[in-house]
Amino acid sequence: MELSGKLYFSFRRFRVAAGATLLLRSGEPGRTWHSDWKLEHRFESYTLDVERRELRCGGELRHVEPQVFDLLHFLIVNRERVVSRDEIFQAVWHGRIVSDAVLSSRLNAVRAAIGDDGTQQRLIRTVYGKGFRFVGALFGATNSPPAASIVVPAYRFAEALKDAPVIAISPFATIGDDDSHGRAVAAALTETTAVSLHEIDWLRVAASYSGTTPTGSPSNSKAVFGKLRVRYLLLGSVQRDRDELRIVVRLVETASGIHLWAGRFHCPIVDSFRGPEQIAAKLACAVRDRIFAAESIRSRQNKPESLGAWGSIVAAVALMNTRKRPDLRMAQALLRKVISIDPKCAPCFSLLSIMATQSVHLGWKAQETARPVALRAAEKAIDLNSDDGWSHVALGYARLLIDNRPEDAIDIFATALKLNPNLAIAHYFIALASAYTGNCAASFRHADLAEQLAPHDLLALGNAGVQDNVRATASFVADRYRDGISFARKAIALSPRQTSAYRQLVLNHAFAGDREEAAAALAAVRTLAPDIPLWLRQQESRWSSRQDHQKYVDAFRLAGVK
């Protein structure tokens, strides 16, 4: 392949939750080449169908829990190497803290499902002190679409708001004399961390700052703030300890010099090529969460009238995720205040539209009541900035849940992804629209993409758990009720006031024959959104299949709705 123009980035391997993709980025933002992925993995008499999320032995379906499926899939796609416990926790539990006993339980379940055990270790081998590796031979696999990749779009959300947070990265220091290996890893960490942070759509990354002491401490953080106008500074050091490198990283608020976060990482010398990539990905997620939390606190500590566009937006996103009516009204007031000062703030109009549609999604308002605000605000956002993916997401969301036009909405969300391929929320809404059209395979595929891209999307921070919610919906349509129950519970764990996730519990429990559990979930729905008949009426023209809609209504009747 002949490439012209300047390479935007060099070759780099980007690891995602389900495996690895080799990316080559051209000088044209938004364009990426991928390696092949697999839709099915076949070994011995087993077939792991990734799209259908099914494990079969000799053609016979074997029921496995979602986390067990994810763990097996992760081990298979990373079969060329040993994967650590930390990588598994990040991939399967998405960084949540769980005990080693939980991992051992899931690993035993995987081995049992594929006829292996901890003694034989015929297919999954334990490398003590290091991790685990799938050692079975694969054959007869077919190609599938690539996993989600991170692409820097031509338009980034951070560029639209002058007061969006800025972070500078000090080149990682090397502790110890004559350690050329450590210096190489430090340089690689500095570069890959900068790239990973730049992929966060709402964060600006300043040029590297070199005002540090030999140990990586800031020589004068306030001077950094004055010189580079940055709000945060990332510092790191690398030290060799026998056969591994110890990496210490700190996040500093430049105005106060306060350390907001610190982390320790270990990189084996033999893994010093892949190690920096994996550490940079973990760093980016940790830094994103700490900065978003810090920015949310800043917005709450300031009076609403003193907040700029960024402060108001970050506060609104945090309020959205509470799923409480007073908080949603407060968020809308903040956005309207910004618009009164800056009538051309397209992201504020987008958020106003999304919140209006969200009130329908949560079952609080009728479609007719929300339609004027939702559509007018989305269309205004597009008029102000047609290159902003948020505005198209807002319009597609309104078309999906207010106008009941899922096919049209999918096209609009596709436009948003062309503008910003990292919009996790657009993939989530495509997954939801696909469930309404009965395309469960597409629904699961886009839910997976939404989950992989969520760390880079500000809107995803205000919508915790929605990927599992839509997986529960697709599971119900596909008659996979036990999977649907599991996904709905995961969604509720991440967002306890997510009305739609309780609805999925009602649906899946009802058709699984769990009448008491369905009734309990229905009671939770009534608490969060009492007007259930209104919601059911609004569902009628949303489903492409009359049979799927009737099944939805029947589930609520089985749970106790008359």
Side-chain angles (χ1 to χ4, degrees):
M1 181 182 295
E2 182 178 346
L3 301 179
S4 61
K6 182 179 178 181
L7 286 178
Y8 195 84
F9 290 119
S10 60
F11 282 104
R12 83 184 267 264
R13 186 176 293 272
F14 180 80
R15 225 162 251 292
V16 292
T21 303
L22 183 65
L23 306 183
L24 173 62
R25 293 193 176 137
S26 71
E28 178 184 350
R31 190 173 185 185
T32 306
W33 289 269
H34 305 261
S35 65
D36 286 338
W37 266 54
K38 305 298 179 185
L39 183 63
E40 287 185 349
H41 301 285
R42 298 180 184 176
F43 54 97
E44 297 188 346
S45 59
Y46 297 89
T47 300
L48 188 76
D49 189 322
V50 178
E51 188 168 26
R52 294 180 178 177
R53 293 182 64 84
E54 293 177 349
L55 175 66
R56 294 182 178 274
C57 178
E60 181 180 350
L61 183 65
R62 291 203 167 185
H63 175 74
V64 292
E65 294 294 327
Q67 283 182 346
V68 174
F69 183 96
D70 292 342
L71 177 54
L72 176 58
H73 184 208
F74 181 71
L75 291 171
I76 288 175
V77 296
N78 289 283
R79 62 192 175 277
E80 80 282 359
R81 65 188 183 89
V82 175
V83 295
S84 68
R85 290 172 179 269
D86 286 344
E87 289 179 87
I88 292 173
F89 289 148
Q90 185 64 39
V92 179
W93 284 273
H94 315 302
R96 295 193 295 275
I97 298 174
V98 297
S99 68
D100 286 347
V102 172
L103 172 57
S104 297
S105 171
R106 298 299 184 273
L107 186 64
N108 289 338
V110 169
R111 282 175 166 151
I114 57 177
D116 198 5
D117 59 49
T119 302
Q120 289 182 318
Q121 298 191 14
R122 188 182 76 259
L123 295 172
I124 298 175
R125 185 168 299 161
T126 299
V127 181
Y128 290 98
K130 297 297 182 182
F132 309 93
R133 184 183 175 196
F134 183 89
V135 293
L138 299 187
F139 62 93
T142 57
N143 289 338
S144 79
S149 60
I150 304 302
V151 182
V152 178
Y155 172 86
R156 295 179 70 246
F157 177 78
E159 310 306 325
L161 301 173
K162 295 179 181 178
D163 55 343
V166 182
I167 186 172
I169 303 171
S170 178
F172 280 54
T174 306
I175 301 176
D177 299 329
D178 194 27
D179 185 5
S180 58
H181 197 88
R183 287 195 294 273
V185 170
L189 273 171
T190 303
E191 178 185 354
T192 54
T193 300
V195 172
S196 294
L197 290 174
H198 191 69
E199 288 164 348
I200 299 173
D201 190 49
W202 50 271
L203 184 63
R204 292 181 179 183
V205 182
S208 294
Y209 168 73
S210 58
T212 58
T213 67
T215 61
S217 299
S219 55
N220 189 334
S221 63
K222 291 187 178 180
V224 176
F225 180 71
K227 180 181 178 182
L228 298 178
R229 302 291 181 186
V230 301
R231 201 171 294 164
Y232 303 97
L233 177 64
L234 190 68
L235 304 152
S237 62
V238 178
Q239 183 177 17
R240 184 165 185 166
D241 182 14
R242 296 181 183 178
D243 59 349
E244 72 174 11
L245 295 171
R246 292 190 299 176
I247 297 134
V248 176
V249 187
R250 288 168 289 163
L251 178 66
V252 178
E253 186 181 54
T254 57
S256 64
I258 294 174
H259 285 70
L260 296 178
W261 171 78
R264 293 187 183 91
F265 302 90
H266 298 271
C267 176
I269 296 293
V270 295
D271 198 26
S272 57
F273 176 74
R274 285 195 181 124
E277 290 287 342
Q278 296 166 355
I279 291 171
K282 293 179 181 178
L283 268 177
C285 288
V287 168
R288 172 210 66 193
D289 291 343
R290 295 323 187 276
I291 290 181
F292 182 78
E295 293 293 300
S296 298
I297 291 171
R298 287 179 73 250
S299 67
R300 290 197 298 269
Q301 289 176 340
N302 290 302
K303 295 181 179 179
E305 56 270 18
S306 67
L307 292 175
W310 164 254
S312 297
I313 286 173
V314 75
V317 169
L319 290 166
M320 280 174 63
N321 201 32
T322 67
R323 305 296 202 279
K324 296 179 180 178
R325 292 197 204 192
D327 286 350
L328 209 63
R329 287 194 292 268
M330 190 184 305
Q332 292 167 336
L334 281 171
L335 297 171
R336 290 192 180 98
K337 175 193 69 72
V338 175
I339 290 172
S340 68
I341 299 170
D342 180 8
K344 295 185 178 181
C345 185
C348 286
F349 282 102
S350 298
L351 268 182
L352 277 177
S353 173
I354 289 170
M355 289 180 186
T357 306
Q358 186 185 40
S359 66
V360 174
H361 199 173
L362 293 173
W364 297 343
K365 287 187 178 180
Q367 292 164 315
E368 295 75 15
T369 304
R371 177 179 283 107
V373 173
L375 290 177
R376 279 202 301 263
E379 290 164 355
K380 179 66 174 179
I382 292 174
D383 288 342
L384 290 171
N385 191 347
S386 60
D387 291 331
D388 182 11
W390 280 32
S391 57
H392 296 276
V393 165
L395 181 61
Y397 191 27
R399 293 282 185 239
L400 173 62
L401 290 183
I402 292 180
D403 286 347
N404 295 334
R405 291 159 53 183
E407 292 86 355
D408 292 349
I410 289 173
D411 292 338
I412 298 171
F413 296 135
T415 299
L417 287 170
K418 287 179 182 177
L419 295 169
N420 186 348
N422 303 336
L423 274 176
I425 202 70
H427 280 294
Y428 159 65
F429 286 140
I430 291 178
L432 183 59
S434 297
Y436 284 128
T437 61
N439 189 348
C440 296
S443 188
F444 281 113
R445 184 167 62 251
H446 284 281
D448 290 345
L449 291 169
E451 186 167 30
Q452 292 166 23
L453 291 170
H456 309 274
D457 182 357
L458 180 62
L459 278 176
L461 291 174
N463 289 275
V466 292
Q467 296 90 353
D468 285 317
N469 175 53
V470 77
R471 286 174 179 138
T473 306
S475 295
F476 173 72
V477 176
D479 302 331
R480 292 163 47 183
Y481 309 121
R482 292 299 170 195
D483 285 346
I485 292 166
S486 178
F487 285 130
R489 286 175 176 165
K490 287 170 66 176
I492 291 167
L494 291 172
S495 184
R497 294 184 61 85
Q498 193 171 169
T499 310
S500 50
Y502 284 103
R503 292 190 191 112
Q504 306 319 315
L505 271 186
V506 172
L507 301 176
N508 286 286
H509 272 309
F511 269 76
D514 309 328
R515 298 295 177 85
E516 291 184 5
E517 289 86 348
L522 180 62
V525 173
R526 284 191 165 119
T527 299
L528 295 169
D531 199 345
I532 294 174
L534 169 66
W535 172 256
L536 292 176
R537 285 197 303 274
Q538 293 179 159
Q539 288 280 313
E540 186 172 359
S541 58
R542 190 171 297 158
W543 294 86
S544 297
S545 165
R546 184 176 295 276
Q547 181 179 356
D548 286 340
H549 171 254
Q550 188 58 49
K551 182 180 172 185
Y552 193 101
V553 174
D554 290 344
F556 272 86
R557 287 176 179 164
L558 288 171
V561 174
K562 297 178 180 180

